[in-house]
Amino acid sequence: MLSFRVINMRMDLVYTKLLEHYGYQGWWPLVSMKGKKGFDNLGYHPNDYSYPKTRGQMFEIIIGAILTQNTAWKNVEKALINLYTKRVAVPEKIIEMDFTSLATLIRSAGYYNQKTVRLKTIAEWFNSTNFNIPTLSLRKKLLSLKGVGPETADSILLYAFKRPVFVVDAYTLRMFERLGFGKLTYDSAQGIVHKSFKTLSDDDKVKVFNEFHALIVAHAKEHCKKRPMCEQCPLYNLCKMNGKR
Ligand code: SF4
């Protein structure tokens, strides 16, 4: 029980310190909105959790979550811009478009043949599914789709459907291990965060989980890299590893 309370306290602290250091991240970026009021020129919208507001924006996040598998966001952005330029970033067009044309448009995102299949599958799913069901049922449906693993499913649940689900990625597992949580599985890392913020309302969980995942990505790029840059790390005093390599 004591260790559980310690973990609770640490996650709150980790989140607060990352937020103080890096600020609001404005995820999930919407390429279709970049430069518009409230958005920066990459489509980020810091401290505004009201997006997505439309079915189109929801679908943009979903295809972004597929395209970003195993590649950097800048490569995804190019693919999304191509889809918008050709006016095919809607499920109906993705479904009816011939395979080669779609693969060519998303080439920059890598694994483009595999991702073309996945985009067509998720577009069919998006057009034929009732989303107004409990989060666990929706997660199960997403996980049953070929090419959708826990990280992609949870990204879609959190950022497209605003469900209170924390997204774990390789950066999260690396950072948590260094902080002193030991080697964790996807589910155990997610469980720690869910328990740590369990007293929040679902709406607040969505905001905190949205921000926390984005902050961990920022932290992994700036300080907690493969070779960590521990000096001036905002988590230095909390971290078990802090510079001991
Ligand atoms: S102190 Fe070093 S290892 Fe710990 S979180 Fe910061 S960068 Fe990562």
Side-chain angles (χ1 to χ4, degrees), residues 12 34 111 115 119 128 143 155-156 181 196 199 215 217:
D12 282 359
K34 58 187 196 171
Y111 304 97
K115 287 180 182 178
L119 285 188
S128 61
L143 287 173
S155 296
I156 291 171
F181 287 93
S196 299
T199 56
L215 286 165
V217 173

Side-chain angles (χ1 to χ4, degrees), residues 175 178-179 219 223-224 228-230 233 235-236 239 241-243:
M175 189 188 92
R178 289 170 175 175
L179 286 175
H219 185 55
H223 282 286
C224 208
M229 314 277 283
C230 299
C233 167
L235 304 180
Y236 190 89
C239 184
M241 182 168 174
N242 63 18

Side-chain angles (χ1 to χ4, degrees), residues 70-120:
N70 302 307
T71 196
W73 184 254
K74 64 178 186 331
N75 302 324
V76 176
E77 208 193 6
K78 284 181 201 155
L80 286 171
I81 289 169
N82 284 343
L83 295 174
Y84 274 107
T85 304
K86 295 283 181 193
R87 299 179 186 277
V88 293
V90 291
E92 296 74 18
K93 297 282 183 192
I94 298 280
I95 292 165
E96 71 184 29
M97 203 172 179
D98 76 87
F99 190 95
T100 309
S101 303
L102 182 54
T104 304
L105 290 177
I106 64 162
R107 195 182 180 96
S108 65
Y111 304 97
Y112 48 90
N113 285 329
Q114 194 182 63
K115 287 180 182 178
T116 298
V117 175
R118 291 178 184 181
L119 285 188
K120 284 181 169 288

Side-chain angles (χ1 to χ4, degrees), residues 52-67:
K53 289 183 178 177
T54 65
R55 194 172 161 84
Q57 289 168 355
M58 206 184 267
F59 187 65
E60 180 183 337
I61 293 170
I62 291 172
I63 56 178
I66 297 287
L67 292 172

